[in-house]
Amino acid sequence: MKINKNYLKLKKNYLFTTITQKVQDFKASNPQREVISLGIGDVTLPLAPVVVDALRHAVDEMGHASTFRGYGDEQGYPFLRRAVCGYYAGKGVTLDDSEIFISDGANSDLGNILDLFADDNTVLIPDPVYPVYVDANIMAGREIIYMDGNAGNGFLPLPDKKADIIYLCSPNNPTGATYSRAQLKMWVDFAMENDALILFDSAYEAFVQDDALPTSIYQIENAKECAIEISSFSKMAGFTGTRCGYTVVPNALVRDGAALNPLWYRRQTTKFNGAPYIIQRGAGAVFTPEGFSQVKANIAYYMKNAKFISDTLHGLGIWHTGGENAPYVWLKCPKGMGSWDFFDVLLGEANVVGAPGVGFGAKGEGFFRLSAFAEHEKVSKAMEKVKKFL
């Protein structure tokens, strides 16, 4: 037998594995010091009360023969798919529930969706960006073409290189930068002109504060003919440990003579047994009026943190993006330091953890990501330490 040797081309460690090890080593050597983490993008607030109530009720249902559920629809229960359609209707986007596929999170779908496409397709990926885009395509042996994010373009690269599959993430992880309608229209027009497919990661759309900015690629004309949108409840509703997301594959999307919606349906019914009923009930509660109110309160909490981080950096004269429409702040390392050098110094001197920009791609060298997913008190304390350090 032979292994898939493409796996040998991957970096030895995932970025956050390395961060965790460095922090553990520091704590072991400095047990008296308090370390504040603004590095890993994991939520810290508990699930909304209405979600917890829905989960509990679903657990009770599973304990009675009359309401017990076994295998569900692989594409998700109708109640949740219809709720997602209603959510999009609020954005001015009309979807049929057959176009919604519920999953156990965006991360899974971002990798699994590639099953639909031949390995000889070229892939266009922004640099820097969320590592799964790169790693999933390395595993498949695809040719990856990088588009450069930089301070000059606000880390929002626009079309200048052709490829078959295009990854876009807006609001972006790690940079927090968000495409405007005009910029996304350029990408949709480019995909239509070149018979390309956009994989649009909207995991952070709920954090957009500016009503003029799009929160779905389907708010752009013709996008249903060239784009798949993948989203998540992880950051929107705190489901990082609960696991639920969804992918939108429009019925109008056709490539290489085949409609992609039934292909994804076929893939999911073969390789995926569906997200748990209990979890889907919790996700459904997010879309109730009470759920929206509670979830938005959590988002506002994190965005207050993001603004505080951004305001602190402004006061220090440090260039950065994000913090306005995303829970991440992407800053230029001071004094010309490299990303890992700044990580080590910040941890050692200020006892604050962030994420080195180079871990998100070569163009991230010299930059650094701070996360707003923390308690107000810890964010305030961390930024006070940063001010003293810098």
Side-chain angles (χ1 to χ4, degrees):
M1 61 82 65
K2 296 180 180 179
I3 65 166
N4 179 351
K5 288 189 169 50
N6 290 314
Y7 276 72
L8 302 178
K9 301 175 184 177
L10 295 167
K11 293 179 181 178
K12 182 178 180 180
N13 288 325
Y14 186 54
L15 169 63
F16 295 106
T17 303
T18 303
I19 290 175
T20 299
Q21 187 60 57
K22 280 178 168 283
V23 173
Q24 289 176 348
D25 291 345
F26 179 82
K27 287 181 176 179
S29 301
N30 302 273
Q32 75 284 3
R33 296 195 192 182
E34 178 191 12
V35 176
I36 300 176
S37 178
L38 302 181
I40 297 176
D42 193 3
V43 295
T44 52
L45 295 176
L47 294 170
V50 69
V51 170
V52 175
D53 287 344
L55 293 171
R56 286 180 177 141
H57 181 71
V59 169
D60 288 340
E61 287 185 288
M62 297 297 280
H64 299 279
S66 61
T67 51
F68 173 80
R69 288 169 174 80
Y71 290 124
D73 296 338
E74 291 89 349
Q75 70 271 35
Y77 284 94
F79 69 81
L80 184 52
R81 288 186 284 119
R82 288 193 294 265
V84 173
C85 288
Y87 182 57
Y88 273 84
K91 303 172 184 282
V93 175
T94 300
L95 294 174
D96 186 84
D97 63 5
S98 66
E99 298 174 303
I100 308 296
F101 296 83
I102 307 301
S103 72
D104 59 358
N107 193 66
S108 298
D109 281 0
L110 283 164
N112 293 336
I113 197 73
L114 296 171
D115 283 2
L116 302 189
F117 312 117
D119 290 347
D120 59 358
N121 282 305
T122 54
V123 183
L124 186 60
I125 298 178
D127 181 1
V129 81
Y130 185 46
V132 70
Y133 306 165
V134 174
D135 289 352
N137 282 286
I138 289 176
M139 291 172 183
R142 290 189 181 87
E143 177 188 354
I144 299 174
I145 303 167
Y146 293 97
M147 46 180 161
D148 297 343
N150 52 61
N153 59 28
F155 287 91
L156 293 169
L158 294 172
D160 65 354
K161 300 172 183 176
K162 292 184 179 181
D164 300 306
I165 300 171
I166 301 166
Y167 280 84
L168 297 178
C169 179
S170 181
N172 184 272
N173 178 15
T175 69
T178 307
Y179 280 111
S180 68
R181 288 178 183 269
Q183 289 171 324
L184 278 188
K185 185 178 186 303
M186 292 177 65
W187 277 112
V188 169
D189 290 347
F190 179 79
M192 293 293 289
E193 291 167 4
N194 293 280
D195 195 36
L197 174 77
I198 295 173
L199 295 179
F200 188 75
D201 182 351
S202 65
Y204 296 92
E205 54 84 20
F207 291 85
V208 173
Q209 307 295 298
D210 186 345
D211 292 338
L213 294 174
T215 56
S216 168
I217 199 166
Y218 301 125
Q219 292 171 316
I220 310 301
E221 185 180 6
N222 297 323
K224 289 183 182 179
E225 298 178 34
C226 66
I228 291 173
E229 184 161 302
I230 298 173
S231 199
S232 171
F233 293 92
S234 286
K235 308 303 167 59
M236 170 195 188
F239 274 52
T240 53
T242 313
R243 307 310 304 150
C244 196
Y246 58 86
T247 289
V248 183
V249 185
N251 291 321
L253 182 54
V254 176
R255 285 295 179 274
D256 197 19
L260 297 190
N261 181 285
L263 294 184
W264 183 239
Y265 176 83
R266 185 67 176 84
R267 189 269 176 202
Q268 292 297 81
T269 55
T270 301
K271 292 188 174 184
F272 183 61
N273 275 340
Y277 169 75
I278 295 169
I279 301 301
Q280 291 192 54
R281 277 298 182 192
V286 171
F287 295 117
T288 64
E290 187 179 8
F292 269 127
S293 176
Q294 293 173 2
V295 166
K296 286 181 178 178
N298 284 358
I299 290 171
Y301 182 98
Y302 293 131
M303 291 308 296
K304 182 179 179 180
N305 286 344
K307 184 178 186 304
F308 187 84
I309 295 171
S310 179
D311 288 348
T312 301
L313 295 177
H314 273 304
L316 294 170
I318 296 176
W319 184 96
H320 64 281
T321 64
E324 295 180 349
N325 296 291
Y328 297 123
V329 177
W330 178 255
L331 62 105
K332 187 172 179 59
C333 297
K335 304 174 184 177
M337 278 190 277
S339 297
W340 278 113
D341 290 336
F342 185 60
F343 175 93
D344 291 335
V345 173
L346 191 65
L347 175 59
E349 299 296 327
N351 309 147
V352 173
V353 179
V358 72
F360 299 95
K363 296 299 179 180
E365 178 57 271
F367 292 88
F368 203 77
R369 191 192 77 175
L370 293 175
S371 166
F373 292 118
E375 295 85 355
H376 287 330
E377 180 184 356
K378 289 188 176 180
V379 170
S380 177
K381 186 181 292 187
M383 298 317 293
E384 283 301 316
K385 289 185 174 185
V386 168
K387 281 197 291 187
K388 292 178 181 178
F389 163 63
L390 296 179

